[in-house]
């Protein structure tokens, strides 16, 4: 029987900053134009967490039944390690995504009907990342999807449902968070290049190769600090985002030093920490604007 600790580990808690960060900066962006609504921010957070956990379980299920996780060097996978049945993990994914859909309906009812279309796209993106016959995660589009859904959609959606509009500061934050979130996936896929190549999982890292993937990670984690300087036009407090710079440099160290396999796991966690710290600092700064 799968233990609660194993289910929690299978949910991949190290990816949770990808869900928390866009809500923090989206709420900050809403506050900067006097539009923050606390209970909607809470619902956005619950929605984001439900979706990312659902994505992680769906990915675990789809990769597990394909045999992609048979030789796993990263975090625990429930199906691949045979700790849980494929049906149980699939049902956990569906349950989380369904919860996210219900929360999304509440936000839609209090905002705009067309958010239903955005929500449907998010659910489809969550499932077909690695599910279905033509999953886009196996074709090199995973980083683009993460940038769109956990960057643009999550940040601007959070700002919109609270403030009723979006602005340039929200867009800048969305680009920054999307870049950081994509960097997390880049780290994961860089680590898995050897096993993904064997299992015909053609991620962007497999397409680019080891060296160019490492360069891409550096570029992606640099983008938020460019955005920090841009946000000074909204408030000088935005410079607080630079507090995450040492964490970003540390997160990139295993990547630039040529680490492989388990040696890249600290980069995965470190990138998530840098994302979260940047988002907390920037969200608070915008809230003070």
């Amino acid at each position: 029987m799968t233990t609660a600790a194993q289910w929690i580990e299978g949910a991949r808690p190290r990816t949770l900053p990808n869900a928390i960060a866009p809500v923090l900066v989206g709420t900050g962006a809403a506050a900067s134009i006097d539009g923050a609504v606390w209970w909607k921010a809470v619902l956005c957070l619950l929605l984001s967490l439900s979706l990312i956990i659902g994505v992680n379980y769906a990915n675990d299920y789809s990769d597990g039944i394909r045999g992609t996780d048979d030789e796993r060097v990263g975090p625990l996978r429930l199906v691949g390690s045979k700790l849980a049945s494929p049906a149980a993990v699939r049902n956990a994914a569906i349950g989380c995504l369904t919860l996210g859909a219900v929360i999304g309906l509440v936000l839609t009812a209090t905002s705009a009907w067309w958010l239903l279309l955005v929500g449907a796209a998010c659910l489809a993106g969550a499932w077909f990342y690695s599910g279905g016959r033509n999953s886009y995660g196996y074709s090199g589009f995973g980083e683009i999807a993460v940038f769109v859904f956990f960057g643009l959609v999550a940040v601007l959606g959070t700002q919109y449902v609270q403030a009723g509009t979006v602005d340039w500061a929200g867009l800048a934050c969305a680009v920054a968070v999307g870049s950081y979130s994509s960097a997390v996936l880049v780290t994961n896929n860089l680590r898995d290049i050897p096993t993904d190549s064997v299992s015909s999982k053609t991620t962007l890292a497999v397409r680019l190769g080891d060296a160019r993937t490492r360069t891409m990670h550096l570029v992606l984690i640099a983008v938020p600090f460019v955005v920090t300087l841009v946000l000074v036009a909204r408030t000088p407090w935005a410079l607080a985002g630079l507090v995450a710079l040492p964490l970003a440099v540390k997160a990139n160290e295993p990547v630039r030093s040529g680490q492989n396999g388990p040696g890249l796991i600290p980069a995965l966690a470190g990138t998530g920490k840098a994302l979260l710290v940047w988002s907390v600092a920037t969200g608070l700064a915008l809230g003070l604007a």
Side-chain angles (χ1 to χ4, degrees), residues 37-254:
V37 181
W38 72 268
W39 65 268
K40 288 188 176 182
V42 171
L43 287 182
C44 286
L45 179 59
L46 294 175
L47 169 59
S48 190
L49 288 170
S50 298
L51 289 179
I52 200 166
I53 294 173
V55 168
N56 289 338
Y57 282 143
N59 190 32
D60 189 310
Y61 164 74
S62 298
D63 282 349
I65 61 175
R66 279 191 170 101
T68 306
D69 289 336
D70 288 349
E71 300 294 333
R72 185 72 181 171
V73 297
L76 174 73
R77 291 299 185 96
L78 296 168
V79 176
S81 61
K82 296 180 173 56
L83 287 171
S85 69
V89 177
R90 179 198 63 208
N91 292 340
I94 293 173
C96 290
L97 295 178
T98 300
L99 175 60
V102 172
I103 297 171
L105 287 173
V106 175
L107 288 170
T108 297
T110 58
S111 301
W113 70 267
W114 53 264
L115 289 175
L116 285 174
L117 303 178
V118 177
C122 290
L123 292 175
W127 186 259
F128 291 108
Y129 170 74
S130 58
R133 294 183 178 180
N134 299 304
S135 54
Y136 62 86
Y138 278 65
S139 302
F141 296 103
E143 285 79 1
I144 295 174
V146 166
F147 181 86
V148 171
F149 291 117
F150 286 99
L152 301 182
V153 172
V155 174
L156 294 177
T158 297
Q159 184 183 27
Y160 181 82
V161 298
Q162 295 183 62
T165 187
V166 298
D167 71 344
W168 69 267
L171 179 59
C173 289
V175 170
V177 172
S179 296
Y180 255 136
S181 293
S182 295
V184 173
L185 183 58
V186 165
T187 307
N188 183 76
N189 289 341
L190 172 64
R191 182 199 63 210
D192 292 341
I193 285 177
T195 54
D196 285 344
S197 299
V198 172
S199 61
S200 300
K201 186 176 182 179
T202 312
T203 62
L204 185 58
V206 171
R207 290 183 182 276
L208 292 177
D210 186 276
R212 285 187 289 181
T213 300
R214 293 177 190 273
T215 299
M216 182 168 63
H217 183 271
L218 176 61
V219 171
L220 287 171
I221 64 170
V223 168
F225 300 104
V226 176
V227 170
T228 292
L229 300 179
V230 172
L231 288 173
V232 170
R234 170 59 57 85
T235 172
W237 289 105
L239 290 174
L242 295 177
V243 72
L245 184 57
L247 293 174
V249 172
K250 184 177 180 180
N252 182 251
E253 194 281 328

